[in-house]
Amino acid sequence: MDTHFTPLLLLTSVHLLLHISAHEFLLPGSALSVEDSSDMLHSPNGAFTCGFNNISHNAFVFSVWFTNTAEKTVVWSANRLQPVHSWGSKVLLDTDGGMVVKDYNGQLVWENGVYSSSNAEQAQLLDTGNLVVKGQGDIILWQSFDSPTDTLLPNQNITSSTKLVSANRLLVHGSYSFHFDDEHLLALFQDLKDTSFIYWPIPENNVWSKKGNSFRATTIGVLDSWGYFLGSDDLHFNASDWGLGVMRRLTLDYDGNLRLYSLNKPNGRWSVTWMAYLETCFVRGLCGMNGICVYTPRPACACAPGHEIIDQRDRSKGCRPKFSLSCSRKEMKFVKLPSTDFIGYDQSQYSLVSFLTCKKICLKDCSCKGFLYRDGNCYPKSFLGGGLSSPQLPGSFYLKLPKTLQVLASSIPHSQPSGPRYDPNCSVNADFLDKPESSHRGSQYLYLIYGFLSAIFCVEVIFVALGCWFILRRERKHLTGVWPAEVGYEMITNHFRRYTYTELQKATRKFKDEIGRGASGLVYKGVLRDKRAVAVKRLADIKQGEEEFQHELSVIGRIYHMNLVRV
Ligand SMILES: *[C@@H]1O[C@H](CO)[C@@H](O)[C@H](O)[C@H]1NC(C)=O
Ligand SMILES: *[C@@H]1O[C@H](CO)[C@@H](O)[C@H](O)[C@H]1NC(C)=O
Ligand SMILES: *[C@@H]1O[C@H](CO)[C@@H](O)[C@H](O)[C@H]1NC(C)=O
Ligand SMILES: *[C@@H]1O[C@H](CO)[C@@H](O)[C@H](O)[C@H]1NC(C)=O
């Protein structure tokens, strides 16, 4: 009897072993496929999972995420700007340690760049959340920790060759990054088209540490298991719930703020235990043009005196003047806004001038909308953007208005003495990115979140050339005027091409011929430069632009019609 049983048992255990190994290792020559949702790697402690993650119904990104969170929290992605299709896509490990992500048609969308002369043993997800490719003798040939996306995990080094880039929205690279600057100091950068500048730590405050640091050569920073971050430039911070045994992540959020989060294990939610910017109002674009961010003590938007809200539901659209400013000096007056500034947009700076001189400078210049006067320094401004009022701000702003306009003292935006907005023991006030849980701070809060989302979002064009998609392939050969972010739209085997707002404006003759309307917006007839007719849908609701966009995509994805090629 026994002799019959043994092979059977052996078979089962071998089978079991294979089964387990398929989930803990990826062996050379094997692959993870996108269709099989169980084709994932798990870290031995179960805290992290690695595999294909859907960012929409048919777009997938090879990622590492936390296994047990209420909302999926991705910590690393291979191809975050180039998602692959929902079938036929694969991650393959080669015997030389090379790891690649391939789209359904075999197109290479990501590779780890390893070509080892010795054989690779396996790819494995470690307990730390680090995805590694190991060679013989447990040598690490490649690790995901060396190419972070927007998140740094405990014990993951940030070095001169790595950087965090804020999460992308609509598959476009974020515009904020966190890395070492050329003086070996860690900083947050805003990356614009041709330039990038530091916005945190506030450059002026940082001069002293800059001086002391210029000859330092090491560049490394790491968050330890206790929740303490230390950089070689002495940048340091400590989690408010400092201690062992907490799952943490340091994420550069899409709003440009760097936040340290801790996981509340029972409910799987994150709370903020440290953040770079305590002052929400300093975040750019929150209240739009002519808007002023004030603390009540909660951040809120107000209009500059003499201005009115453009869109009640979307404060980031800002405010418009209720007057027209003539250029005659005699008809102008200035209204003082204490502790207020419109950051940026200085026309010029005049040092050591009297208040009267400063006033004259602004009066003389028709484009001057007002000026900041601070300790003998005069800053006339031509645009009223980035407005905020905070007791911390020295100096006052003087707003140019027509003499005839009545300004009540109560209409001058000011911040209440700011209460304990950020209390390390209570992350509630700090984590305005998270969904509000209690209702009493609900609506206003939500408002800010949305205002905020749209502030970032407004910048993105939300116009979708729906009718064009089935002919796009032909057009790809002569793409002109393509934005650098074009690659972001090359989603799912490049079926998409991004048209600039101007292109669509031209094609539709400034949205002239309305040919239909849907719940989410109007559809216009247009003609592309190469004379092909298209339908252009203009999404109306900016607040939910991204959701609308994804929704439209999935609707189109599901349409079957003999005259349409499937998306
Ligand atoms: C991802 O797939 C799941 C299950 O199919 C679905 O419920 C979810 O909505 C998808 N996520 C997105 C962002 O489409
Ligand atoms: C981080 O840097 C330290 C010191 O250079 C090194 O010992 C450690 O292995 C690095 N950690 C990782 C995950 O690369
Ligand atoms: C971080 O904070 C804790 C508690 O406040 C303190 O005990 C610890 O020494 C701090 N760590 C460092 C490195 O400052
Ligand atoms: C608040 O946090 C500090 C450390 O940051 C800790 O020492 C203190 O006990 C906490 N207070 C409460 C009431 O939890």
Side-chain angles (χ1 to χ4, degrees), residues 241-262:
D241 62 349
W242 183 80
L244 279 176
V246 183
M247 306 270 282
R248 300 176 204 278
R249 64 187 167 96
L250 181 66
T251 301
L252 179 55
D253 287 313
Y254 62 85
D255 61 7
N257 207 348
L258 185 66
R259 292 182 181 82
L260 180 59
Y261 292 88
S262 296

Side-chain angles (χ1 to χ4, degrees), residues 79-297:
N79 53 319
R80 70 172 169 166
L81 292 180
Q82 251 187 302
V84 291
H85 204 278
S86 54
W87 51 265
S89 307
K90 283 190 177 69
V91 177
L92 298 134
L93 180 64
D94 215 336
T95 44
D96 64 359
M99 199 178 204
V100 295
V101 176
K102 284 190 172 169
D103 210 345
Y104 79 102
N105 56 1
Q107 190 198 350
L108 187 71
V109 298
W110 176 84
E111 59 183 327
N112 68 353
V114 174
Y115 310 96
S116 167
S117 51
S118 70
N119 284 350
E121 299 236 291
Q122 67 198 35
Q124 188 187 350
L125 186 58
L126 304 182
D127 282 345
T128 50
N130 192 4
L131 177 66
V132 298
V133 175
K134 283 185 177 167
Q136 266 149 9
D138 271 0
I139 300 171
I140 290 181
L141 298 175
W142 174 85
Q143 55 179 351
S144 63
F145 267 19
D146 288 340
S147 51
T149 45
D150 64 351
T151 296
L152 216 56
L153 289 171
N155 302 310
Q156 177 175 8
N157 298 331
I158 183 162
T159 64
S160 57
S161 59
T162 55
K163 69 169 164 181
L164 302 186
V165 176
S166 61
N168 46 303
R169 303 194 50 76
L170 273 180
L171 309 178
V172 176
H173 241 302
S175 63
Y176 303 103
S177 56
F178 177 58
H179 55 93
F180 282 98
D181 68 5
D182 48 16
E183 291 173 54
H184 307 312
L185 296 174
L186 274 167
L188 289 173
F189 292 78
Q190 186 172 27
D191 306 313
L192 301 175
K193 213 169 162 204
D194 308 308
T195 56
S196 103
F197 63 89
I198 295 176
Y199 62 96
W200 182 90
I202 310 290
E204 297 96 77
N205 304 350
N206 212 26
V207 173
W208 180 82
S209 63
K210 278 207 170 205
K211 279 192 183 134
N213 213 62
S214 48
F215 35 78
R216 227 175 258 227
T218 44
T219 47
I220 192 165
V222 66
L223 177 70
D224 68 16
S225 315
W226 296 76
Y228 181 72
F229 182 96
L230 180 61
S232 53
D233 60 349
D234 206 34
L235 172 76
H236 57 274
F237 48 83
N238 205 347
S240 59
D241 62 349
W242 183 80
L244 279 176
V246 183
M247 306 270 282
R248 300 176 204 278
R249 64 187 167 96
L250 181 66
T251 301
L252 179 55
D253 287 313
Y254 62 85
D255 61 7
N257 207 348
L258 185 66
R259 292 182 181 82
L260 180 59
Y261 292 88
S262 296
L263 184 66
N264 181 8
K265 278 187 182 145
N267 66 9
R269 298 197 179 279
W270 295 99
S271 54
V272 178
T273 51
W274 175 85
M275 61 205 269
Y277 264 117
L278 305 187
E279 295 260 7
T280 318
C281 278
F282 279 86
V283 176
R284 284 149 196 282
L286 199 61
C287 295
M289 278 291 168
N290 305 314
I292 298 176
C293 185
V294 295
Y295 295 107
T296 64

Side-chain angles (χ1 to χ4, degrees), residues 54-57:
N54 64 330
I55 59 164
S56 77
H57 285 291

Side-chain angles (χ1 to χ4, degrees), residues 20 86 168 247 275 301 313 327 460:
I20 289 170
S86 54
N168 46 303
M247 306 270 282
M275 61 205 269
C301 290
R313 292 168 310 168
C327 209
E460 289 301 331

Side-chain angles (χ1 to χ4, degrees), residues 476-493:
R476 283 187 51 226
K477 288 192 197 83
H478 43 91
L479 293 181
T480 53
V482 174
W483 296 12
E486 168 75 13
V487 62
Y489 277 76
E490 289 193 0
M491 187 181 164
I492 318 169
T493 72

Side-chain angles (χ1 to χ4, degrees), residues 360-404:
K360 272 189 197 145
I361 292 170
C362 187
L363 270 178
K364 258 201 296 200
D365 183 350
C366 287
S367 69
C368 179
K369 298 265 171 71
F371 60 92
L372 178 77
Y373 190 77
R374 184 181 69 201
D375 310 329
N377 291 313
C378 169
Y379 308 84
K381 318 237 174 186
S382 52
F383 292 99
L384 304 180
L388 75 123
S389 161
S390 160
Q392 283 189 14
L393 284 175
S396 298
F397 191 80
Y398 295 83
L399 182 67
K400 199 188 205 179
L401 291 174
K403 263 194 184 137
T404 49

